[in-house]
Amino acid sequence: GIDNDSRITILFLAIEGPASLVGDIAGYFWSGNQFPRSQIPRSNEREMLYMDITRLSRFGVEDVAGTLAHEFQHLIHWNYDRSEEVWINEGLAEYATFRNGFRLTNSPSLFLDSPDFTLMSWSRHPRDYARAFLWIAYLADHYGGDSLLRSIVANPNPGISALQMVLAPRAPGVTVADIFRNWVVANYLDAGAGDVLFGYPSLDLAALRPTETFAFLPVGSRNTAVNTYAADYYVFEGGENLLINLDGPNNQPDFEARIIKLRANANPEVLDFPLDANNDGGLSVPDFGVGIDRVVLIPYYLQNPNSASSTEYQFSADGSGGPMAFNDTLQYHDQESRTIITLGMPSPLLNNEHLDSFAVRFTPSSNGILMGAEFGVWDRAGAGGSVRFYVYDDDGSENHYPANKLDSVDVASVSGAPGTITFNQVDFSARNIQVRKGEEFHLAWVLMNAGIGDTVFAVLDTAKVATERSAVLVRERNRWAHFTAGLNFFMRAIISVPADPTVPRLTAGLLQNPVFSQALDIFAIGEKPLSSASVEGKFIIGNSTKTLRFRAVGDSGSVFVDDSFRLSSAGAAKLIVSARHEFGVAVGSDTLELNVDFIEPQKGGQLFSLDKNVSVILPPKVIAKPTYFITIPAQDDLETNVTNTLIPTALGYTFGPADLTFAKMVELSIHYNNDDIAMQSENDLTICQFENGEWLPMGGELYRSNKTITTLIGRTGTYRLFVKQFLPESSDEAAPLTFFLNQNYPNPFNPNTSIKFGLPKFHHVTLRIINLKGQTISSLIDQDMPAGEYVFDWDGTDDKKVPVASGVYLYQLQAGNYVNTRKLLLVK
């Protein structure tokens, strides 16, 4: 540099930026310091970076270090190329922050939320930094990493010309425009495609926000525009037989479009949209809505940014239907028991209304629009007369009587066949009557314009469980009162509810019969109600795939079971479930992977997990009958009250059938490696069993040569590998109120057992193992200890690490004046 030394000066100061700058300035590099004062009077004549000191207290050291990496890149880049275009220079500087492991101040989401901005444009908006970073990250991921970026920095040409020169030897025949075509797809898919070019291996991007989403067809003509070296995103996710029509700008060969087809449990398909010489074209997706769940149209423009800013185009879509709304039927009858009531001559009119009418209360499970109603008729006599249907809201009182009248519709001719239930329809679709989840409304009806002998026989049923809304209300003498509780008219309310666009979060699970081990209850559980028709699943084991048949459990609508499944073979298995929400359009799924072993009593055998990290040896005759055993990863969220002394590893497993007791203790082994634990923690490993909401330490015999820890277990259950930690300090909150010494676990034991005790305050502590002669054979603790709860293991050896004989021993805790002694049993 100009000062001819190897030092770089970093000046911390409070930086004040110009009012026109969006956001504050975290730091900067000024090239004026690289010139002598004879040329730049304010030059400091040295390599120098400026950092905003106020950010240290506001955002911390890591934020400042990330900015420092950004500014170092500018200094280095200036040394090689003083004329680089801003978008590349800033993209490389943002990548330097990321490459050095620091958090990006300008999140990629800033661009993904509004992607129609020219790649090369620059206005100092945080979105510009995010866009430039994604471009550089994509180049690094796919075309040479650090080596490519060094070449870009060192190339003296600016902008696209520099990129094309450094790409030529690495990707012959690939142009910057080719990369841009894949980049706009990758920004939508990330790594969700089978083709790695449509993802960012180094990043996990948030979802791109589409320009517009269409949930129904057809879509009328849209006139719009796209910026050069930018893209729009139009998502079609509702309807059938999709046909997209695109009318691009004439005489502009740089206008193009791509299509993404997405289907459940399959890689996306990316296609070029076919356009003729006038940039007009159409693309048909006949399996849209059947095999294809979503289609994304991506128009973009590749004109030189120095000669064009944007271009206009039009598009439309043909097709039919769309899951904008679903019909939810509310009905308060079970269609099993029935009572017939006669509705004869109407009552006199008062204020143009009949005095007598009958109402049923409904409680919507979703927001929506009342589309209609149906009521059951058993028969009619004479002309029958017409029926007027009213819609009332609820008065909000504890009686829940009808209150304000919202609307009414007449049914001119009532139908009813003798001896059968005939449902008559009432159409409210044109009235726009909105109902809200959990807010009651009432459907009331009254016989109108009936003459002598005209009668309608309405159908009621007796509710199995009488509730507040299981009641028919009658309006007489201008007031509402209960007619009879526990009865309902055979009546339905049809409500149109908006389609649910969210993807269901599902849990796949199973319960194994403890007696007949081949019998499994397989579950699909959603966080909210699911569409029963959409709940599907399959169980794959070896080359066999069995389709599951689910039914609802209870009234929640979110739990489904197939309780007829039977195992018939062993091996690696996979359970896959999928479903839509009750009014959903998106399919969610969950997968449970497991291993199935079949063990015969006379032969014995070995149980394995899928990753082969855990095994259980079952000698002959430890089980009473042939049994299918299932091994699955243990849940990570099992509660424990020993987290202050035990740190869980990822190695946890559940063995089924649940609570199967072995005829004698069997060997459980867990293999670990450097990814599971730090090697300095090997001496502190212990296997724990999950029992009554607690992880109970069982110890284990450690074999460092093959990185395995082994213990004996007496039954199936859930086991996990933990690292014991000694807590030199405990907060007052964690300290117990009194001294305690728990019974060791397991007991009897071989070869390890754990002893848990608590101290309410600081004391000198001794914990000793004593034989029945009163002799101390092992001193586990002899030191000062603060208040807290502790767990210590004894491995069945004396102070010289020589194994002791089987038998009864005592363990004694002494802390100050507190002394407590318990027995333990070592069995070999």
Side-chain angles (χ1 to χ4, degrees), residues 230-539:
D232 291 331
Y233 298 81
Y234 300 100
V235 177
F236 300 87
E237 59 180 20
E240 297 179 348
N241 300 317
L242 174 65
L243 171 62
I244 302 175
N245 303 299
L246 184 58
D247 181 8
N250 294 334
N251 303 318
Q252 301 238 355
D254 295 312
F255 176 83
E256 300 176 5
R258 303 192 94 172
I259 286 287
I260 306 174
K261 295 182 180 180
L262 296 109
R263 53 172 61 85
N265 303 319
N267 288 328
E269 182 180 2
V270 179
L271 304 171
D272 292 328
F273 195 100
L275 295 173
D276 61 20
N278 293 321
N279 285 330
D280 297 337
L283 187 140
S284 175
V285 189
D287 52 348
F288 179 68
V290 182
I292 302 297
D293 299 310
R294 191 185 315 155
V295 170
V296 185
L297 170 66
I298 309 177
Y300 51 88
Y301 188 36
L302 295 173
Q303 181 62 269
N304 188 320
N306 296 322
S307 60
S309 59
S310 66
T311 189
E312 296 182 352
Y313 63 95
Q314 298 177 346
F315 74 94
S316 63
D318 293 325
S320 60
M324 281 298 291
F326 293 84
N327 283 339
D328 184 17
T329 301
L330 306 181
Q331 56 187 38
Y332 291 144
H333 59 81
D334 56 25
Q335 297 206 40
E336 293 180 5
S337 58
R338 62 197 61 176
T339 301
I340 312 302
I341 185 173
T342 301
L343 301 182
M345 287 287 291
S347 64
L349 287 173
L350 179 65
N351 296 327
N352 204 33
E353 290 187 15
H354 288 277
L355 293 181
D356 295 341
S357 57
F358 302 89
V360 176
R361 184 186 308 126
F362 292 89
T363 306
S365 57
S366 305
N367 295 340
I369 297 175
L370 181 64
M371 301 299 290
E374 297 179 330
F375 61 98
V377 174
W378 186 258
D379 196 0
R380 69 174 191 168
S386 63
V387 170
R388 176 166 294 172
F389 255 81
Y390 295 96
V391 184
Y392 292 88
D393 62 12
D394 190 79
D395 68 356
S397 71
E398 63 180 1
N399 294 316
H400 293 285
Y401 290 147
N404 300 313
K405 187 190 305 177
L406 302 178
D407 215 327
S408 64
V409 170
D410 288 350
V411 180
S413 179
V414 177
S415 300
T420 64
I421 302 174
T422 303
F423 279 98
N424 289 250
Q425 284 73 41
V426 187
D427 186 4
F428 286 104
S429 61
R431 306 304 178 94
N432 194 32
I433 301 172
Q434 299 187 24
V435 297
R436 300 190 63 80
K437 179 179 179 180
E439 296 183 6
E440 281 101 347
F441 69 94
H442 303 256
L443 292 178
W445 65 335
V446 65
L447 194 62
M448 303 283 294
N449 304 322
I452 296 175
D454 290 344
T455 306
V456 172
F457 298 92
V459 188
L460 294 87
D461 75 346
T462 304
K464 292 179 179 178
V465 179
T467 66
E468 277 194 359
R469 62 172 175 263
S470 294
V472 174
L473 299 171
V474 62
R475 179 181 174 88
E476 57 184 11
R477 290 185 292 277
N478 212 29
R479 68 183 182 88
W480 287 98
H482 279 287
F483 175 64
T484 176
L487 288 181
N488 277 317
F489 282 105
F490 266 36
M491 189 180 295
R492 301 169 178 156
I494 312 300
I495 298 173
S496 177
V497 299
D500 186 341
T502 59
V503 178
R505 295 183 62 182
L506 298 180
T507 299
L510 54 85
L511 288 177
Q512 188 176 14
N513 190 298
V515 178
F516 305 102
S517 63
Q518 71 273 24
L520 303 181
D521 289 352
I522 298 180
F523 290 87
I525 304 172
E527 289 187 334
K528 57 183 182 179
L530 304 172
S531 167
S532 58
S534 73
V535 182
E536 298 178 345
K538 54 187 177 182
F539 192 94

Side-chain angles (χ1 to χ4, degrees), residues 696-719:
L696 303 177
M698 304 179 66
E701 189 164 349
L702 184 66
Y703 298 91
R704 291 185 181 84
S705 59
N706 60 358
K707 291 183 168 52
T708 300
I709 184 169
T710 300
T711 192
L712 297 178
I713 62 174
R715 60 183 176 83
T716 57
T718 299
Y719 300 87

Side-chain angles (χ1 to χ4, degrees), residues 17-98:
S20 61
L21 186 62
V22 179
D24 53 358
I25 301 175
Y28 63 91
F29 159 69
W30 181 47
S31 61
N33 289 325
Q34 299 297 112
F35 295 91
R37 290 194 181 95
S38 58
Q39 297 182 36
I40 306 292
R42 294 169 54 200
S43 172
N44 290 298
E45 296 185 330
R46 66 186 67 197
E47 285 69 53
M48 187 170 178
L49 302 177
Y50 299 82
M51 303 298 296
D52 183 18
I53 197 170
T54 64
R55 295 181 74 89
L56 277 172
S57 59
R58 293 168 60 197
F59 302 110
V61 172
E62 186 167 330
D63 175 86
V64 174
T67 303
L68 194 60
H70 179 111
E71 301 306 331
F72 259 116
Q73 197 294 130
H74 285 320
L75 187 153
I76 295 168
H77 204 140
W78 186 88
N79 181 57
Y80 289 95
D81 182 4
R82 303 181 186 183
S83 62
E84 185 58 88
E85 293 183 6
V86 176
W87 65 284
I88 290 182
N89 200 337
E90 293 292 355
L92 287 163
E94 287 288 275
Y95 190 82
T97 298
F98 166 77

Side-chain angles (χ1 to χ4, degrees), residues 611-669:
D611 58 14
K612 304 300 183 184
N613 283 329
V614 66
S615 66
V616 177
I617 298 175
L618 300 181
K621 300 182 180 180
V622 297
I623 57 175
K625 60 182 180 179
T627 303
Y628 284 96
F629 288 89
I630 290 177
T631 306
I632 61 177
Q635 300 177 31
D636 290 329
D637 58 350
L638 293 178
E639 294 181 1
T640 172
N641 62 4
V642 294
T643 52
N644 60 333
T645 55
L646 296 173
I647 303 173
T649 71
L651 299 173
Y653 304 89
T654 297
F655 301 93
D659 299 321
L660 173 64
T661 302
F662 303 122
K664 62 180 181 178
M665 304 290 278
V666 301
E667 185 179 275
L668 164 70
S669 299

Side-chain angles (χ1 to χ4, degrees), residues 94-153:
E94 287 288 275
Y95 190 82
T97 298
F98 166 77
R99 185 68 176 79
N100 282 276
F102 298 112
R103 181 183 65 87
L104 290 169
T105 303
N106 304 298
S107 167
S109 295
L110 294 168
F111 168 62
L112 296 174
D113 282 345
S114 184
D116 186 14
F117 283 89
T118 300
L119 175 62
M120 299 83 177
S121 64
W122 200 261
S123 62
R124 287 185 172 178
H125 192 286
R127 176 186 56 238
D128 299 331
Y129 291 89
R131 181 176 63 250
F133 163 74
L134 283 177
W135 174 257
I136 295 298
Y138 185 82
L139 291 178
D141 277 354
H142 297 289
Y143 295 99
D146 292 350
S147 173
L148 172 78
L149 303 188
R150 290 193 194 98
S151 298
I152 295 173
V153 171

